Amino acid sequence: MTSFDSSPTLTAWRALLAVAVVFVMLATTGWTAVRHQPSDEPRDIALASWTRARIAGHALPDVDAPPYRLAKFFAALTAAQRTALADKYPLVVGNMNGAPVTLRYEANRRALVQAETVERQRMHDVRLSPDGRGDALRRMERFRSMLTPGRHFLSFDPSGKGRAAEVFGDLDRADRISLVVPGVETNLLTLERTGSKVNAAPVGMAKSLYAAERAARPGTRTAVIAWADYTAPAGIGMDAALGNLAERGAVRLTALVGALPGTAKISLFCHSYGSVLCGVAAHELPSRVTDIAVAGSPGMRVENAAELHTTADVWAMRDHGDWIQDVPNMEVGGLGHGADPVDRGFGARIVSAGDAIGHSGYFVPGTESLSNFAAIGVGAYSSVTCASAGSACHENISGTEGV
Protein backbone atom coordinates (compact mmCIF):
# COMPACT_ATOMS: atom_id res chain seq x y z
CA MET A 1 0.00 0.00 0.00
CA THR A 2 1.10 3.52 -0.59
CA SER A 3 0.52 7.01 0.77
CA PHE A 4 -0.93 6.28 4.22
CA ASP A 5 -3.28 3.54 3.03
CA SER A 6 -3.58 2.07 6.52
CA SER A 7 -5.89 3.70 9.12
CA PRO A 8 -4.14 4.51 12.43
CA THR A 9 -6.33 5.66 15.31
CA LEU A 10 -5.89 9.00 17.00
CA THR A 11 -4.57 7.27 20.13
CA ALA A 12 -2.06 5.24 18.16
CA TRP A 13 -0.78 8.35 16.39
CA ARG A 14 -0.28 10.18 19.69
CA ALA A 15 1.53 7.15 21.10
CA LEU A 16 3.78 7.17 18.05
CA LEU A 17 4.63 10.82 18.62
CA ALA A 18 5.49 10.05 22.25
CA VAL A 19 7.83 7.25 21.23
CA ALA A 20 9.35 9.52 18.59
CA VAL A 21 10.15 12.10 21.28
CA VAL A 22 12.24 9.49 23.10
CA PHE A 23 13.98 8.56 19.87
CA VAL A 24 14.84 12.17 19.09
CA MET A 25 16.19 12.69 22.60
CA LEU A 26 18.41 9.64 22.26
CA ALA A 27 19.62 10.70 18.82
CA THR A 28 20.40 14.26 19.83
CA THR A 29 22.23 13.29 23.02
CA GLY A 30 24.61 10.98 21.24
CA TRP A 31 23.13 7.67 22.38
CA THR A 32 22.66 6.51 18.82
CA ALA A 33 25.38 6.23 16.23
CA VAL A 34 25.66 5.37 12.56
CA ARG A 35 28.67 3.48 11.36
CA HIS A 36 29.51 4.49 7.78
CA GLN A 37 30.66 1.63 5.61
CA PRO A 38 31.81 1.67 2.00
CA SER A 39 28.74 1.29 -0.19
CA ASP A 40 28.24 -1.59 -2.59
CA GLU A 41 25.08 -0.13 -4.08
CA PRO A 42 25.12 -0.04 -7.91
CA ARG A 43 24.82 3.73 -8.28
CA ASP A 44 27.47 4.47 -5.67
CA ILE A 45 29.88 2.18 -7.52
CA ALA A 46 29.01 3.91 -10.81
CA LEU A 47 29.56 7.36 -9.27
CA ALA A 48 32.97 6.33 -7.96
CA SER A 49 33.95 5.14 -11.43
CA TRP A 50 32.63 8.35 -13.03
CA THR A 51 34.86 10.54 -10.86
CA ARG A 52 37.97 8.74 -12.17
CA ALA A 53 36.94 8.68 -15.83
CA ARG A 54 37.92 10.97 -18.70
CA ILE A 55 36.59 11.67 -22.17
CA ALA A 56 38.66 13.13 -25.00
CA GLY A 57 41.41 13.67 -22.43
CA HIS A 58 39.21 15.74 -20.11
CA ALA A 59 37.84 14.83 -16.68
CA LEU A 60 34.10 14.32 -16.44
CA PRO A 61 32.12 17.01 -14.60
CA ASP A 62 30.97 16.78 -11.01
CA VAL A 63 27.52 15.18 -11.03
CA ASP A 64 26.35 17.81 -8.54
CA ALA A 65 27.40 20.71 -10.77
CA PRO A 66 24.60 23.18 -11.64
CA PRO A 67 22.32 21.83 -14.39
CA TYR A 68 23.29 24.60 -16.81
CA ARG A 69 26.94 23.56 -16.58
CA LEU A 70 26.08 19.92 -17.14
CA ALA A 71 23.87 20.89 -20.08
CA LYS A 72 26.76 22.84 -21.56
CA PHE A 73 29.07 19.85 -21.08
CA PHE A 74 26.74 17.48 -22.94
CA ALA A 75 26.08 20.04 -25.69
CA ALA A 76 29.83 20.17 -26.39
CA LEU A 77 30.03 16.39 -26.96
CA THR A 78 29.39 14.57 -30.18
CA ALA A 79 26.34 12.33 -30.39
CA ALA A 80 28.67 9.30 -30.26
CA GLN A 81 30.36 10.59 -27.11
CA ARG A 82 27.04 11.21 -25.38
CA THR A 83 25.85 7.72 -26.24
CA ALA A 84 29.13 6.21 -25.05
CA LEU A 85 28.75 7.87 -21.64
CA ALA A 86 25.15 6.73 -21.34
CA ASP A 87 26.16 3.17 -22.24
CA LYS A 88 29.09 3.04 -19.81
CA TYR A 89 27.57 5.00 -16.91
CA PRO A 90 23.80 4.60 -17.24
CA LEU A 91 23.10 5.01 -13.53
CA VAL A 92 24.97 8.31 -13.57
CA VAL A 93 23.77 9.85 -16.84
CA GLY A 94 20.19 8.63 -16.33
CA ASN A 95 19.91 10.53 -13.05
CA MET A 96 21.87 13.64 -14.02
CA ASN A 97 19.98 16.92 -13.91
CA GLY A 98 21.21 18.86 -16.92
CA ALA A 99 21.68 15.88 -19.22
CA PRO A 100 19.37 15.88 -22.28
CA VAL A 101 16.00 14.30 -21.50
CA THR A 102 16.18 11.76 -24.33
CA LEU A 103 19.70 10.76 -23.27
CA ARG A 104 18.43 10.15 -19.74
CA TYR A 105 15.67 7.95 -21.15
CA GLU A 106 18.22 5.92 -23.08
CA ALA A 107 20.56 5.60 -20.11
CA ASN A 108 17.79 4.50 -17.77
CA ARG A 109 16.57 1.88 -20.22
CA ARG A 110 20.08 0.44 -20.28
CA ALA A 111 20.25 0.57 -16.47
CA LEU A 112 16.92 -1.24 -16.29
CA VAL A 113 18.19 -3.99 -18.58
CA GLN A 114 21.21 -4.43 -16.32
CA ALA A 115 19.08 -4.42 -13.17
CA GLU A 116 16.64 -6.95 -14.62
CA THR A 117 19.56 -9.25 -15.48
CA VAL A 118 20.93 -9.00 -11.93
CA GLU A 119 17.57 -9.90 -10.36
CA ARG A 120 16.99 -12.77 -12.78
CA GLN A 121 20.29 -14.27 -11.64
CA ARG A 122 19.46 -13.68 -7.97
CA MET A 123 16.18 -15.57 -8.41
CA HIS A 124 18.22 -18.77 -8.76
CA ASP A 125 20.94 -18.01 -6.21
CA VAL A 126 20.82 -20.86 -3.69
CA ARG A 127 22.71 -18.73 -1.18
CA LEU A 128 19.60 -16.58 -0.78
CA SER A 129 16.68 -17.56 1.42
CA PRO A 130 13.33 -18.35 -0.21
CA ASP A 131 12.18 -14.87 0.79
CA GLY A 132 15.28 -13.37 -0.80
CA ARG A 133 14.67 -15.20 -4.06
CA GLY A 134 11.02 -14.15 -3.93
CA ASP A 135 12.07 -10.53 -3.56
CA ALA A 136 14.40 -10.92 -6.54
CA LEU A 137 11.48 -12.29 -8.58
CA ARG A 138 9.28 -9.31 -7.69
CA ARG A 139 12.00 -6.84 -8.56
CA MET A 140 12.76 -8.63 -11.83
CA GLU A 141 9.09 -8.48 -12.78
CA ARG A 142 8.94 -4.78 -11.91
CA PHE A 143 11.99 -3.99 -14.05
CA ARG A 144 10.59 -6.04 -16.92
CA SER A 145 7.36 -4.03 -16.74
CA MET A 146 9.34 -0.78 -16.73
CA LEU A 147 11.10 -1.95 -19.90
CA THR A 148 7.82 -2.09 -21.82
CA PRO A 149 8.31 -0.23 -25.12
CA GLY A 150 7.17 3.38 -25.02
CA ARG A 151 7.87 3.97 -21.34
CA HIS A 152 10.27 6.81 -20.45
CA PHE A 153 12.12 7.18 -17.16
CA LEU A 154 13.74 10.45 -16.19
CA SER A 155 15.46 8.76 -13.26
CA PHE A 156 16.07 5.23 -12.05
CA ASP A 157 18.11 3.83 -9.17
CA PRO A 158 17.74 0.18 -8.07
CA SER A 159 19.74 0.76 -4.87
CA GLY A 160 17.93 -0.24 -1.69
CA LYS A 161 14.18 -0.17 -2.22
CA GLY A 162 14.77 1.90 -5.33
CA ARG A 163 13.63 5.18 -6.83
CA ALA A 164 12.31 6.25 -10.23
CA ALA A 165 10.50 9.00 -12.12
CA GLU A 166 8.39 8.22 -15.19
CA VAL A 167 7.31 10.77 -17.79
CA PHE A 168 4.03 10.83 -19.71
CA GLY A 169 3.97 13.17 -22.68
CA ASP A 170 6.70 15.15 -24.43
CA LEU A 171 8.70 16.89 -21.71
CA ASP A 172 10.80 18.90 -24.16
CA ARG A 173 7.81 20.40 -26.00
CA ALA A 174 5.31 20.71 -23.14
CA ASP A 175 3.39 23.94 -22.48
CA ARG A 176 2.51 22.74 -18.97
CA ILE A 177 4.32 20.24 -16.75
CA SER A 178 2.79 18.49 -13.74
CA LEU A 179 4.63 16.47 -11.08
CA VAL A 180 2.87 13.94 -8.88
CA VAL A 181 4.63 13.63 -5.51
CA PRO A 182 3.36 10.52 -3.64
CA GLY A 183 3.53 9.62 0.04
CA VAL A 184 4.60 6.75 2.28
CA GLU A 185 5.60 3.31 1.02
CA THR A 186 6.83 4.76 -2.26
CA ASN A 187 9.50 2.55 -3.82
CA LEU A 188 10.10 0.53 -6.97
CA LEU A 189 7.81 -2.31 -5.93
CA THR A 190 4.93 0.09 -5.23
CA LEU A 191 5.61 2.29 -8.26
CA GLU A 192 2.65 0.80 -10.08
CA ARG A 193 -0.26 -1.46 -9.17
CA THR A 194 -3.10 -3.27 -10.86
CA GLY A 195 -6.77 -3.74 -10.09
CA SER A 196 -8.50 -1.51 -7.56
CA LYS A 197 -5.18 -0.03 -6.36
CA VAL A 198 -3.99 1.15 -9.78
CA ASN A 199 -4.80 4.83 -9.11
CA ALA A 200 -3.27 4.75 -5.62
CA ALA A 201 0.23 4.13 -6.98
CA PRO A 202 2.49 6.87 -8.42
CA VAL A 203 2.33 5.67 -12.03
CA GLY A 204 -1.45 5.24 -11.90
CA MET A 205 -1.86 8.70 -10.38
CA ALA A 206 0.25 10.30 -13.10
CA LYS A 207 -1.41 8.41 -15.96
CA SER A 208 -4.85 9.42 -14.71
CA LEU A 209 -3.80 13.05 -14.38
CA TYR A 210 -2.22 13.07 -17.85
CA ALA A 211 -5.40 11.69 -19.44
CA ALA A 212 -7.58 14.15 -17.50
CA GLU A 213 -5.40 17.12 -18.48
CA ARG A 214 -5.54 16.19 -22.16
CA ALA A 215 -9.34 15.91 -21.91
CA ALA A 216 -9.59 19.24 -20.07
CA ARG A 217 -7.65 21.16 -22.68
CA PRO A 218 -6.80 19.09 -25.81
CA GLY A 219 -4.89 21.94 -27.44
CA THR A 220 -2.38 22.24 -24.60
CA ARG A 221 0.78 20.16 -24.79
CA THR A 222 1.09 18.62 -21.34
CA ALA A 223 3.59 16.32 -19.64
CA VAL A 224 3.15 14.60 -16.29
CA ILE A 225 5.91 13.10 -14.15
CA ALA A 226 5.29 10.32 -11.64
CA TRP A 227 8.01 11.46 -9.24
CA ALA A 228 8.86 8.50 -7.00
CA ASP A 229 12.47 9.64 -6.75
CA TYR A 230 12.93 10.04 -3.02
CA THR A 231 13.23 7.79 0.02
CA ALA A 232 9.74 7.79 1.53
CA PRO A 233 8.70 6.59 5.00
CA ALA A 234 8.04 2.87 5.19
CA GLY A 235 4.48 2.90 6.46
CA ILE A 236 3.03 4.74 9.46
CA GLY A 237 6.11 4.81 11.66
CA MET A 238 8.59 7.18 13.21
CA ASP A 239 9.76 8.50 9.83
CA ALA A 240 6.19 9.43 8.90
CA ALA A 241 5.90 11.60 12.03
CA LEU A 242 9.20 13.37 11.40
CA GLY A 243 10.34 15.63 8.59
CA ASN A 244 13.81 14.18 7.96
CA LEU A 245 12.90 12.22 4.83
CA ALA A 246 10.81 15.13 3.55
CA GLU A 247 13.80 17.45 3.93
CA ARG A 248 16.07 15.10 1.99
CA GLY A 249 13.41 14.53 -0.64
CA ALA A 250 12.88 18.28 -0.98
CA VAL A 251 16.51 18.68 -2.05
CA ARG A 252 15.98 16.10 -4.79
CA LEU A 253 12.68 17.62 -5.90
CA THR A 254 14.11 21.14 -6.08
CA ALA A 255 17.09 19.92 -8.11
CA LEU A 256 14.84 18.10 -10.59
CA VAL A 257 12.40 20.98 -11.01
CA GLY A 258 15.25 23.43 -11.52
CA ALA A 259 16.61 21.30 -14.36
CA LEU A 260 13.39 20.67 -16.30
CA PRO A 261 13.71 21.74 -19.95
CA GLY A 262 12.04 24.73 -21.54
CA THR A 263 10.00 27.44 -19.87
CA ALA A 264 6.72 25.59 -19.31
CA LYS A 265 4.78 26.43 -16.17
CA ILE A 266 4.96 23.70 -13.55
CA SER A 267 2.35 22.41 -11.11
CA LEU A 268 3.00 20.07 -8.17
CA PHE A 269 0.36 17.60 -6.99
CA CYS A 270 1.40 16.35 -3.58
CA HIS A 271 -0.41 13.51 -1.85
CA SER A 272 -0.25 12.67 1.85
CA TYR A 273 3.38 12.67 3.10
CA GLY A 274 4.29 14.02 -0.34
CA SER A 275 2.63 17.27 0.75
CA VAL A 276 5.04 17.46 3.69
CA LEU A 277 7.90 17.24 1.20
CA CYS A 278 6.34 19.89 -1.05
CA GLY A 279 5.90 22.19 1.92
CA VAL A 280 9.57 21.88 2.83
CA ALA A 281 10.65 22.46 -0.79
CA ALA A 282 8.27 25.35 -1.54
CA HIS A 283 10.57 28.26 -0.72
CA GLU A 284 13.38 26.88 -2.92
CA LEU A 285 11.30 26.17 -6.01
CA PRO A 286 11.76 28.37 -9.10
CA SER A 287 9.13 30.93 -10.06
CA ARG A 288 7.94 28.81 -13.00
CA VAL A 289 6.22 26.62 -10.38
CA THR A 290 2.81 28.30 -10.44
CA ASP A 291 0.76 25.82 -8.41
CA ILE A 292 1.25 23.55 -5.40
CA ALA A 293 -1.82 21.38 -4.83
CA VAL A 294 -2.07 19.02 -1.85
CA ALA A 295 -4.53 16.25 -1.12
CA GLY A 296 -4.97 14.21 2.05
CA SER A 297 -2.25 16.27 3.72
CA PRO A 298 -1.08 15.74 7.32
CA GLY A 299 0.48 19.24 7.12
CA MET A 300 3.17 21.13 5.24
CA ARG A 301 5.42 21.89 8.25
CA VAL A 302 4.17 25.47 8.49
CA GLU A 303 1.33 27.21 10.31
CA ASN A 304 -0.03 29.02 7.26
CA ALA A 305 0.50 29.28 3.50
CA ALA A 306 2.41 32.56 3.82
CA GLU A 307 5.15 30.72 5.71
CA LEU A 308 5.82 28.60 2.61
CA HIS A 309 7.42 31.70 1.05
CA THR A 310 6.39 30.77 -2.46
CA THR A 311 4.93 32.73 -5.35
CA ALA A 312 2.93 29.64 -6.37
CA ASP A 313 -0.78 29.40 -5.67
CA VAL A 314 -1.41 26.86 -2.91
CA TRP A 315 -4.43 24.58 -3.30
CA ALA A 316 -5.73 22.00 -0.82
CA MET A 317 -8.42 19.33 -0.82
CA ARG A 318 -9.54 16.51 1.45
CA ASP A 319 -12.25 13.93 0.96
CA HIS A 320 -14.84 13.76 3.75
CA GLY A 321 -14.01 10.06 4.19
CA ASP A 322 -10.23 10.54 4.40
CA TRP A 323 -8.98 9.23 7.74
CA ILE A 324 -6.06 11.71 7.65
CA GLN A 325 -8.45 14.25 9.21
CA ASP A 326 -8.06 12.34 12.51
CA VAL A 327 -4.28 12.86 12.62
CA PRO A 328 -3.41 15.66 15.10
CA ASN A 329 -2.20 18.78 13.28
CA MET A 330 0.69 19.77 15.47
CA GLU A 331 4.42 20.34 15.39
CA VAL A 332 6.44 19.94 18.58
CA GLY A 333 10.21 19.64 18.49
CA GLY A 334 10.15 18.45 14.91
CA LEU A 335 7.36 15.94 15.48
CA GLY A 336 4.19 16.32 13.44
CA HIS A 337 3.70 18.47 10.36
CA GLY A 338 1.92 21.62 11.44
CA ALA A 339 -1.43 23.18 10.57
CA ASP A 340 -4.10 21.53 8.44
CA PRO A 341 -3.95 22.95 4.88
CA VAL A 342 -7.75 22.69 4.49
CA ASP A 343 -8.40 24.87 7.53
CA ARG A 344 -9.69 28.26 6.40
CA GLY A 345 -7.07 30.04 8.47
CA PHE A 346 -4.22 28.29 6.66
CA GLY A 347 -4.74 30.43 3.58
CA ALA A 348 -4.78 27.81 0.81
CA ARG A 349 -7.38 27.77 -1.97
CA ILE A 350 -9.77 25.08 -0.72
CA VAL A 351 -10.88 22.86 -3.60
CA SER A 352 -13.70 20.35 -3.69
CA ALA A 353 -12.63 16.72 -3.47
CA GLY A 354 -16.10 15.78 -4.66
CA ASP A 355 -16.46 12.04 -5.02
CA ALA A 356 -12.86 11.09 -4.21
CA ILE A 357 -12.67 7.68 -2.56
CA GLY A 358 -11.03 8.01 0.85
CA HIS A 359 -7.35 8.73 1.36
CA SER A 360 -6.08 7.03 -1.79
CA GLY A 361 -8.85 7.91 -4.23
CA TYR A 362 -8.03 11.46 -5.32
CA PHE A 363 -6.71 10.38 -8.74
CA VAL A 364 -9.51 7.98 -9.69
CA PRO A 365 -10.84 8.74 -13.21
CA GLY A 366 -14.23 10.41 -13.22
CA THR A 367 -13.89 12.00 -9.78
CA GLU A 368 -14.26 15.72 -9.15
CA SER A 369 -10.93 15.69 -7.32
CA LEU A 370 -9.07 14.51 -10.43
CA SER A 371 -11.01 16.93 -12.64
CA ASN A 372 -9.96 19.80 -10.37
CA PHE A 373 -6.34 18.69 -10.40
CA ALA A 374 -6.42 18.54 -14.20
CA ALA A 375 -7.89 22.04 -14.43
CA ILE A 376 -5.12 23.36 -12.19
CA GLY A 377 -2.50 21.50 -14.19
CA VAL A 378 -3.50 23.07 -17.51
CA GLY A 379 -4.23 26.52 -16.06
CA ALA A 380 -8.00 26.33 -16.54
CA TYR A 381 -8.56 27.88 -13.13
CA SER A 382 -12.10 29.03 -13.81
CA SER A 383 -13.09 25.36 -14.17
CA VAL A 384 -11.93 24.48 -10.65
CA THR A 385 -14.79 23.86 -8.22
CA CYS A 386 -14.30 25.34 -4.77
CA ALA A 387 -15.03 23.37 -1.63
CA SER A 388 -17.94 25.61 -0.58
CA ALA A 389 -20.46 27.91 -2.20
CA GLY A 390 -18.99 30.86 -4.06
CA SER A 391 -15.67 31.12 -5.81
CA ALA A 392 -13.22 31.96 -3.03
CA CYS A 393 -10.58 29.62 -4.45
CA HIS A 394 -10.60 31.64 -7.70
CA GLU A 395 -10.03 35.08 -6.18
CA ASN A 396 -7.02 37.13 -7.25
CA ILE A 397 -5.35 34.13 -8.84
CA SER A 398 -2.16 34.83 -10.71
CA GLY A 399 -1.72 33.72 -14.31
CA THR A 400 -5.37 32.86 -14.90
CA GLU A 401 -5.83 31.26 -18.31
CA GLY A 402 -9.14 30.91 -20.09
CA VAL A 403 -10.59 27.55 -20.94
Side-chain angles (χ1 to χ4, degrees):
M1 294 181 287
T2 185
S3 299
F4 284 110
D5 273 340
S6 56
S7 301
T9 64
L10 186 60
T11 301
W13 184 260
R14 285 175 173 160
L16 172 64
L17 293 180
V19 173
V21 169
V22 176
F23 174 81
V24 171
M25 290 176 64
L26 291 175
T28 56
T29 54
W31 291 11
T32 61
V34 177
R35 187 183 301 273
H36 295 285
Q37 300 288 348
S39 174
D40 60 355
E41 293 287 8
R43 187 160 187 267
D44 289 335
I45 294 172
L47 286 169
S49 179
W50 174 273
T51 60
R52 298 189 298 268
R54 304 179 73 82
I55 188 166
H58 300 287
L60 299 181
D62 186 335
V63 295
D64 293 322
Y68 75 89
R69 290 185 182 174
L70 294 173
K72 185 176 180 180
F73 164 76
F74 281 103
L77 300 178
T78 66
Q81 288 173 327
R82 288 192 290 270
T83 299
L85 286 178
D87 286 346
K88 190 171 184 179
Y89 305 102
L91 284 174
V92 178
V93 176
N95 294 280
M96 186 175 287
N97 293 320
V101 167
T102 53
L103 188 67
R104 292 178 70 168
Y105 293 164
E106 294 168 9
N108 286 321
R109 176 160 288 272
R110 182 170 181 81
L112 277 162
V113 169
Q114 294 176 349
E116 194 258 359
T117 299
V118 168
E119 298 303 332
R120 191 167 61 247
Q121 293 171 345
R122 291 182 67 242
M123 285 168 46
H124 306 290
D125 190 339
V126 296
R127 295 170 296 179
L128 296 178
S129 67
D131 285 345
R133 292 194 294 273
D135 181 64
L137 172 61
R138 288 187 290 274
R139 285 170 63 89
M140 187 274 293
E141 290 176 338
R142 169 62 68 244
F143 299 152
R144 183 170 292 175
S145 172
M146 293 168 73
L147 283 166
T148 302
R151 299 187 69 172
H152 302 296
F153 288 90
L154 194 61
S155 64
F156 168 69
D157 183 359
S159 303
K161 292 187 176 181
R163 299 190 291 252
E166 184 170 8
V167 177
F168 300 90
D170 190 335
L171 201 55
D172 282 315
R173 299 178 64 248
D175 300 316
R176 305 279 307 202
I177 298 173
S178 298
L179 276 85
V180 174
V181 183
V184 304
E185 291 291 357
T186 294
N187 56 62
L188 285 176
L189 290 182
T190 61
L191 182 67
E192 53 187 330
R193 293 185 181 279
T194 57
S196 61
K197 293 290 185 181
V198 65
N199 301 118
V203 166
M205 292 177 180
K207 289 177 73 174
S208 292
L209 181 59
Y210 180 57
E213 287 184 351
R214 295 180 72 189
R217 182 174 283 174
T220 297
R221 294 190 298 259
T222 65
V224 179
I225 302 173
W227 191 78
D229 196 23
Y230 79 106
T231 300
I236 308 299
M238 204 104 46
D239 284 333
L242 297 168
N244 297 350
L245 294 181
E247 290 170 4
R248 296 172 198 166
V251 173
R252 299 182 65 82
L253 178 63
T254 301
L256 182 278
V257 171
L260 289 175
T263 59
K265 293 179 179 179
I266 299 168
S267 300
L268 305 184
F269 297 91
C270 318
H271 180 238
S272 200
Y273 188 85
S275 68
V276 181
L277 190 160
C278 289
V280 174
H283 72 287
E284 294 284 354
L285 295 170
S287 60
R288 61 190 290 207
V289 175
T290 56
D291 304 280
I292 300 175
V294 302
S297 174
M300 301 180 75
R301 299 195 74 76
V302 292
E303 290 307 307
N304 55 67
E307 292 182 0
L308 294 172
H309 300 295
T310 177
T311 57
D313 287 303
V314 181
W315 309 77
M317 69 167 67
R318 186 174 66 212
D319 178 57
H320 64 85
D322 189 337
W323 61 262
I324 201 76
Q325 63 191 310
D326 294 326
V327 172
N329 289 106
M330 54 174 283
E331 194 281 320
V332 179
L335 303 171
H337 304 304
D340 187 345
V342 299
D343 278 352
R344 295 294 172 183
F346 186 82
R349 299 174 185 277
I350 313 302
V351 180
S352 175
D355 44 5
I357 307 168
H359 188 68
S360 297
Y362 294 96
F363 292 84
V364 173
T367 57
E368 188 177 16
S369 55
L370 178 62
S371 178
N372 279 329
F373 274 167
I376 294 169
V378 297
Y381 301 122
S382 60
S383 298
V384 175
T385 54
C386 301
S388 58
S391 57
C393 71
H394 299 143
E395 293 177 0
N396 302 315
I397 193 165
S398 60
T400 303
E401 299 175 17
V403 179

